[in-house]
């Protein structure tokens, strides 16, 4: 299996690049943000609880997202592989993911980390907020909180994967096609 963690701060382009990678390598795209937003749209209890946190730019509890990912893995046992987008976001999530994959006889192939400067992230997210309908893209204070959560809780995961020799850092500035090519060349050389 090819199991990729597509990593980077909010607004780095993970969603855009995930759709390209999923088509090219025939992988299942698992975005915890998308799954949470579909729970909100369906009006489930989980969605209602997550919405308050997401609208503030806070992370939702580890056990919630780990449970979601676990059931998605169980539902796709014959897949060619997965792209994890927006997950893991904490060390507890990364440890849980390693265990879940091990139970299925597989593991993370690599972490592809997109690097984008904060001022560019803020610009992109505010731009997206004009049409995305996402409350967390509309307000600079909430965006700053998301970047802060990323720096405090999520960025340390680079060390987690680097200690397993799985970290690849990619410049996330440039055209969508340029960045896709850089990602492809890393994956093709794995
Ligand atoms: P972005 O990467 O642009 O912030 P996402 O769709 O990945 O967008 O995430 C939106 C929100 O969903 C996050 O701010 C957080 O509240 C919640 N969320 C998504 N994935 C996770 C996760 N793995 N752990 C905790 N919270 C998450």
């Amino acid at each position: 299996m090819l199991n990729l963690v597509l990593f980077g701060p909010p607004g780095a382009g993970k969603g855009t690049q995930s759709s390209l990678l999923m088509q090219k390598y025939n992988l299942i795209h698992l975005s915890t943000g998308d799954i949470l937003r579909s729970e909100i749209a369906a009006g489930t209890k989980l969605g209602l609880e997550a919405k308050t946190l997401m609208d503030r730019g806070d992370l939702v509890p580890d056990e919630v997202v780990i449970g979601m990912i676990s059931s998605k893995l169980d539902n796709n046992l014959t897949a060619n592989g997965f792209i994890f987008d927006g997950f893991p976001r904490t060390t507890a999530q990364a440890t849980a993911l390693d265990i879940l994959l091990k139970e299925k006889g597989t593991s993370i192939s690599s972490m592809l980390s997109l690097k984008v400067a904060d001022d560019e992230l803020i610009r992109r997210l505010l731009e997206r907020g004009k049409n995305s309908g996402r409350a967390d893209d509309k307000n600079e204070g909430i965006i700053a909180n998301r970047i802060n959560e990323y720096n405090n809780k999520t960025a340390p995961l680079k060390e987690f994967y680097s200690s397993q020799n799985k970290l690849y850092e990619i410049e996330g500035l440039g055209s969508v096609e340029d960045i896709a090519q850089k990602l492809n060349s890393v994956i093709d050389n794995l």
Side-chain angles (χ1 to χ4, degrees):
M1 272 184 146
L2 177 64
N3 297 314
L4 305 171
V5 173
L6 195 56
F7 195 75
K14 301 185 296 289
T16 307
Q17 295 297 332
S18 288
S19 346
L20 298 173
L21 290 173
M22 139 187 158
Q23 289 170 37
K24 184 165 164 67
Y25 296 96
N26 186 25
L27 304 173
I28 295 197
H29 177 207
L30 294 182
S31 155
T32 39
D34 287 351
I35 302 169
L36 288 165
R37 281 184 289 276
S38 68
E39 294 281 340
I40 293 173
T44 64
K45 185 165 171 283
L46 189 158
L48 277 174
E49 285 166 9
K51 186 176 185 329
T52 316
L53 295 164
M54 290 170 75
D55 285 353
R56 286 203 298 252
D58 291 338
L59 295 186
V60 307
D62 287 333
E63 54 275 19
V64 172
V65 286
I66 293 167
M68 290 181 341
I69 289 287
S70 173
S71 74
K72 293 284 177 189
L73 293 177
D74 286 340
N75 291 337
N76 292 287
L77 289 174
T78 57
N80 205 26
F82 296 91
I83 305 176
F84 298 96
D85 162 6
F87 180 91
R89 256 176 156 99
T90 63
T91 306
Q93 293 177 24
T95 307
L97 180 60
D98 274 357
I99 294 169
L100 287 171
L101 291 175
K102 196 166 181 196
E103 283 168 3
K104 295 177 170 50
T106 186
S107 61
I108 290 297
S109 313
S110 70
M111 170 195 260
L112 309 170
S113 174
L114 294 170
K115 203 177 139 196
V116 178
D118 284 2
D119 55 346
E120 172 68 8
L121 297 174
I122 295 166
R123 196 191 64 73
R124 288 184 189 179
L125 291 170
L126 287 172
E127 186 59 35
R128 184 172 78 184
K130 291 178 187 166
N131 302 304
S132 67
R134 281 178 58 171
D136 61 346
D137 284 345
K138 286 222 177 293
N139 171 303
E140 237 181 291
I142 293 168
I143 292 175
N145 186 39
R146 287 159 66 196
I147 296 177
N148 214 22
E149 287 274 81
Y150 172 80
N151 288 329
N152 290 332
K153 298 178 184 164
T154 308
L157 290 184
K158 280 195 253 180
E159 182 49 38
F160 182 94
Y161 288 98
S162 147
S163 71
Q164 300 183 20
N165 289 319
K166 291 179 178 173
L167 171 67
Y168 295 84
E169 296 207 77
I170 290 115
E171 181 55 62
L173 211 58
S175 71
V176 170
E177 296 74 23
D178 285 350
I179 297 162
Q181 247 177 27
K182 286 190 260 182
L183 291 170
N184 293 343
S185 84
V186 171
I187 295 166
D188 293 339
N189 285 303
L190 282 177

